[in-house]
Amino acid sequence: PAPDSPASYMLDETARYSWIKSPRYDGKPMEVGPLAHILTMHARNTQPNDKLVRSYVKTYWTGALGLKFEQLNSTLGRIFCRMIETKIIADQMAGRAANASAGTPAFTGWYQLYYNNRTGKYFNPNAFPMVAAAKGKVGFGYTEAPRGALGHWIKVGTDGMIANYQCVVASQWNAGPRDASGVDGPYERALKGHVLADLTKPLEVLRTIHSFDPCIGCAVHILDPDGNPLVQINVNHMMGV
């Protein structure tokens, strides 16, 4: 039954629930994103970019800023790691652009699946080889987005339509709350020990959460005062065909 007021619906401490997933790796929470990227590359130290990371950390973090390496695990550290990662990517993009001007394609591959930008028309998915081959199959893909680790899983029915789709995105790793075992998620862990200069303006909390570059559209629900959904969107998975 619906509660008497929005406040009782949202703040019912006897029925805690999160609309965001709380993924775990081997039963443990994991922080993903630039800090994880930089620490992983620093520890690996076998690839050219790993050497760059070590050089930047030594020159600017422990050098110019005079901070300890372990202090990278902080609000400032996340911002610093995002800066390093951005510089490495920007430098590589500049190199690719130079190659392109010399006659070597900057990027190879294709991105058109169903929609043809040139003609403005959709392909027939039943005539598309990849769809025919995918019927009745399960597929998955992993990548590292700027915000962190990203995984997608899909099951295609025998009719060529998507039967089930699942994704675990970066902000779910980072924003997932304390689990049933009482283990803190990355946000909660990062906020522990904060000292607020002004309790009415908890800017320190905002800075720390912002350092994760949160995106939690996957956890947003719009409800009326009685707890009923206000909007329902049906997606045409035939993509106009």
Side-chain angles (χ1 to χ4, degrees):
D4 296 331
S5 69
S8 62
Y9 179 82
M10 299 302 295
L11 302 176
D12 183 1
E13 290 294 313
T14 65
R16 294 178 181 178
Y17 180 77
S18 172
W19 278 326
I20 198 164
K21 299 172 184 173
S22 300
R24 294 291 186 264
Y25 180 79
D26 197 21
K28 298 178 181 179
M30 296 288 162
E31 177 177 333
V32 299
L35 175 59
H37 296 162
I38 295 304
L39 292 180
T40 299
M41 295 168 71
H42 192 283
R44 181 175 58 185
N45 195 31
T46 58
Q47 304 300 315
N49 283 340
D50 301 345
K51 309 294 183 181
L52 279 177
V53 164
R54 288 205 165 206
S55 174
Y56 291 148
V57 170
K58 181 178 180 181
T59 301
Y60 300 109
W61 186 261
T62 59
L65 295 177
L67 299 171
K68 297 179 180 179
F69 176 76
E70 55 268 26
Q71 289 178 303
L72 275 171
N73 187 14
S74 63
T75 300
L76 180 60
R78 289 185 197 90
I79 298 170
F80 177 81
C81 289
R82 183 168 284 107
M83 176 197 70
I84 290 180
E85 192 169 53
T86 302
K87 175 170 174 53
I88 291 174
I89 293 172
D91 289 346
Q92 290 184 340
M93 292 290 288
R96 288 176 180 268
N99 291 335
S101 64
T104 303
F107 300 97
T108 58
W110 57 274
Y111 63 91
Q112 293 178 340
L113 184 57
Y114 289 119
Y115 186 75
N116 188 313
N117 287 296
R118 182 176 58 83
T119 64
K121 296 181 180 180
Y122 288 94
F123 295 106
N124 181 349
N126 291 322
F128 199 70
M130 288 183 63
V131 174
K135 289 182 178 181
K137 302 292 180 62
V138 176
F140 61 90
Y142 305 114
T143 189
E144 278 289 340
R147 189 174 282 116
L150 186 64
H152 294 261
W153 293 262
I154 188 170
K155 180 178 181 180
V156 180
T158 55
D159 58 357
M161 299 298 173
I162 296 173
N164 190 37
Y165 173 77
Q166 167 85 316
C167 64
V168 177
V169 302
S171 288
Q172 292 169 346
W173 283 101
N174 290 332
R178 187 181 308 183
D179 60 24
S181 300
V183 181
D184 300 337
Y187 279 10
E188 187 173 359
R189 184 175 63 247
L191 289 172
K192 284 189 172 180
H194 270 37
V195 177
L196 304 181
D198 185 345
L199 294 178
T200 65
K201 299 176 181 178
L203 298 179
E204 296 82 2
V205 172
L206 289 177
R207 291 191 189 104
T208 294
I209 298 301
H210 286 172
S211 73
F212 286 89
D213 186 25
C215 176
I216 56 171
C218 55
V220 172
H221 292 56
I222 303 177
L223 309 174
D224 66 15
D226 295 323
N228 300 310
L230 293 179
V231 178
Q232 180 175 340
I233 300 174
N234 296 318
V235 178
N236 180 6
H237 55 276
M238 285 295 288
M239 300 187 69
V241 177

